[in-house]
């Protein structure tokens, strides 16, 4: 096999990952689907996309190289560096015309190939989707009340929230978000961010209680400073440009973050979590939370994180309980389903609270054992 044919073979494998990412956008983002489909064809032919993805040829599926490429291109548009492409991007006022999308993308890809390559190499997918605050809020209400019942208390626990893979920390303020239901608004009705959670059913909890969050902390291998323009652009670039509802939701979440700063520490997770869990607080439920990050965590860090959590769980008491609340994709016969899972110690409660779209809404509350 010649060097050129070997390179084409490698990029063919990468092209399949692009095609899989494109399929994941089906019926949700026609613009991103078409961009990634055409980019996959360009990869197979050794075109400019191969130059941009050089150095990422052997990336594993979980790093989603196609979405990193799409995010880098979107950022060019947001920065005003691809005017010919911008006319297709609703996030900057454009209107997609899919038959000519790739034709209009090529000049920008060729002109900025080196910049795009560096961004693809240096970044990870960080949607930090604020819509996930909706299932998180409901899950926290359930956790605080179930832990109280197990301890013989009539009042739900206050919550200390620890988020692993927090990105920009947008989901570390669920008590400051409003959740518009047909008959009421949960959380903060005066919030800068009011979500339609699109719930089918309701959380198995008394929603008249107020969620009391008394502590928050987060970590991420590459934390995003959402107080800066660079950080805001970074998160915005990963929103699919033709999903204006998500785009506007992120704008509101960033505005809320500016009024309520939360620090996100730079850490892969296990050591940070061990440090946080070394301190147990009486009359407080400590909740470890993560959402759609597990695929990015190395096997070693997964094992270390489980061990840290198991050690803390063994030390939990009825008056200093511990919870794990996660919203992650789980494999099914038809592919994947995003499920909200809750464990409580020492109560020994283990629940699958329901399932929803990857961005948190819509969500169906359907409580079953977590097996």
């Amino acid at each position: 096999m010649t060097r050129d044919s070997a390179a084409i073979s490698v990029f063919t494998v990468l092209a399949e990952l692009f095609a899989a990412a494109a399929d994941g956008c089906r019926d949700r983002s026609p613009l991103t689907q078409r961009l990634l489909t055409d980019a996959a064809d360009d990869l197979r032919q050794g075109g400019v996309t191969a130059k941009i993805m050089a150095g990422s040829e052997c990336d594993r599926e979980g790093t989603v190289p196609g979405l990193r490429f799409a995010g880098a291109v979107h950022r060019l548009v947001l920065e005003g560096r691809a005017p010919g492409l911008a006319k297709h991007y609703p996030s900057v006022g454009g209107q997609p015309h899919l038959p000519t999308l790739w034709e209009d993308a090529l000049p920008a890809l060729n002109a900025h190939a080196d910049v795009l390559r560096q961004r693809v190499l240096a970044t990870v997918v960080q949607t930090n989707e604020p819509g996930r605050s909706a299932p998180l809020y409901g899950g926290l209400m359930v956790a605080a009340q179930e832990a109280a019942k197990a301890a013989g208390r009539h009042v739900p626990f206050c919550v200390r929230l620890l988020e692993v893979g927090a990105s920009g920390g947008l989901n570390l303020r669920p008590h400051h978000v409003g959740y518009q239901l047909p008959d009421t608004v949960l959380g903060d009705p005066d919030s800068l961010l009011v979500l339609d959670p699109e719930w089918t059913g309701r959380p198995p909890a008394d929603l008249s209680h107020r969620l009391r969050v008394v502590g928050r902390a987060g970590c991420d291998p590459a934390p995003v400073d959402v107080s800066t323009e660079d950080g805001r652009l970074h998160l915005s670039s990963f929103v699919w440009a033709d999903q204006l509802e998500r785009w506007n939701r992120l704008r509101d979440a960033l505005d809320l973050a500016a009024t309520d700063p939360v620090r996100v520490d730079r850490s892969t997770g296990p050591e940070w979590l061990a440090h946080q869990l070394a301190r147990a607080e009486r009359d407080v439920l400590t909740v470890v939370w993560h959402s759609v990050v597990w695929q990015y965590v190395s096997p070693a860090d997964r094992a270390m994180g489980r061990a840290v959590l198991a050690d803390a769980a063994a030390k939990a008491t009825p008056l200093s309980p511990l919870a794990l609340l996660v919203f992650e994709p789980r494999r099914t016969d038809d592919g994947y389903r995003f499920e909200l899972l809750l464990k409580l110690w020492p109560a020994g409660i283990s629940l699958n609270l329901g399932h929803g779209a990857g961005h948190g809404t819509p969500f169906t509350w359907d409580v079953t054992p977590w097996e």
Side-chain angles (χ1 to χ4, degrees):
M1 180 181 292
T2 66
R3 180 176 299 178
D4 287 345
S5 61
I8 291 173
S9 177
V10 169
F11 282 119
T12 297
V13 174
L14 188 59
E16 294 308 311
L17 296 183
F18 269 56
D23 190 59
C25 304
R26 186 180 303 276
D27 302 324
R28 294 186 290 167
S29 176
L31 175 67
T32 309
Q33 181 186 13
R34 184 59 177 261
L35 177 71
L36 292 179
T37 298
D38 289 343
D41 291 339
D42 190 62
L43 273 171
R44 295 185 185 98
Q45 298 167 18
V48 65
T49 312
K51 180 179 179 181
I52 293 167
M53 298 306 297
S56 302
E57 302 93 334
C58 298
D59 285 2
R60 59 186 178 88
E61 181 180 4
T63 66
V64 203
L67 295 186
R68 284 160 38 218
F69 169 85
V73 173
H74 190 191
R75 178 151 180 169
L76 273 186
V77 172
L78 294 175
E79 292 172 336
R81 302 172 71 179
L85 185 56
K87 64 185 179 184
H88 296 278
Y89 277 66
S91 56
V92 291
Q95 180 65 41
H97 183 249
L98 301 184
T100 61
L101 174 65
W102 189 250
E103 176 185 340
D104 290 329
L106 281 173
L109 299 183
N110 282 297
H112 302 287
D114 291 338
V115 170
L116 291 168
R117 177 174 177 270
Q118 290 304 315
R119 285 183 178 166
V120 168
L121 286 171
T123 194
V124 294
V125 176
Q126 290 181 306
T127 53
N128 203 197
E129 174 54 56
R132 294 176 191 140
S133 283
L136 170 62
Y137 178 87
L140 290 174
M141 295 287 282
V142 174
Q145 293 180 36
E146 289 297 326
K149 290 177 187 177
R153 296 164 54 111
H154 297 292
V155 178
F157 275 97
C158 299
V159 168
R160 176 168 64 122
L161 184 59
L162 306 177
E163 184 174 14
V164 178
S167 188
L170 297 185
N171 288 317
L172 277 169
R173 48 187 65 83
H175 55 313
H176 290 322
V177 176
Y179 306 93
Q180 179 68 63
L181 302 183
D183 55 345
T184 189
V185 180
L186 303 177
D188 182 359
D190 298 319
S191 175
L192 293 171
L193 174 61
V194 177
L195 299 174
D196 177 0
E198 299 181 64
W199 284 349
T200 297
R202 299 284 174 92
D206 183 349
L207 299 180
S208 67
H209 285 287
R210 182 171 62 91
L211 175 64
R212 295 175 297 161
V213 178
V214 296
R216 299 171 291 172
C219 75
D220 195 274
V224 180
D225 185 351
V226 296
S227 70
T228 67
E229 181 63 17
D230 180 73
R232 293 168 69 97
L233 276 171
H234 180 71
L235 291 184
S236 299
S237 70
F238 288 110
V239 175
W240 294 335
D242 48 353
Q243 292 191 325
L244 288 181
E245 182 178 357
R246 282 185 65 212
W247 177 261
N248 292 329
R249 190 160 64 200
L250 179 62
R251 299 291 95 194
D252 291 344
L254 290 169
D255 289 344
L256 175 60
T259 71
D260 179 36
V262 181
R263 175 178 171 177
V264 179
D265 295 321
R266 186 177 299 275
S267 173
T268 56
E271 292 183 358
W272 177 89
L273 190 60
H275 175 74
Q276 295 290 333
L277 294 178
R279 172 176 60 90
E281 295 189 14
R282 185 179 174 87
D283 297 323
V284 172
L285 170 64
T286 297
V287 180
V288 177
W289 154 255
H290 60 79
S291 65
V292 198
V293 300
W294 203 237
Q295 70 193 62
Y296 305 111
V297 179
S298 72
D301 280 342
R302 290 184 188 184
M304 290 174 60
R306 289 190 181 105
V308 167
L309 194 64
D311 181 66
K315 298 173 182 176
T317 69
L319 294 182
S320 296
L322 175 68
L324 173 67
L325 183 63
V326 304
F327 184 64
E328 296 284 352
R330 301 182 80 193
R331 192 179 296 275
T332 68
D333 292 340
D334 299 326
Y336 291 91
R337 186 167 78 164
F338 292 83
E339 297 179 343
L340 184 67
L341 307 171
L342 171 66
K343 285 185 182 290
L344 280 168
W345 298 278
I349 293 172
S350 185
L351 299 174
N352 184 326
L353 295 175
H355 55 89
H359 299 135
T361 61
F363 186 86
T364 298
W365 295 95
D366 180 21
V367 180
T368 60
W370 177 4
E371 298 175 346

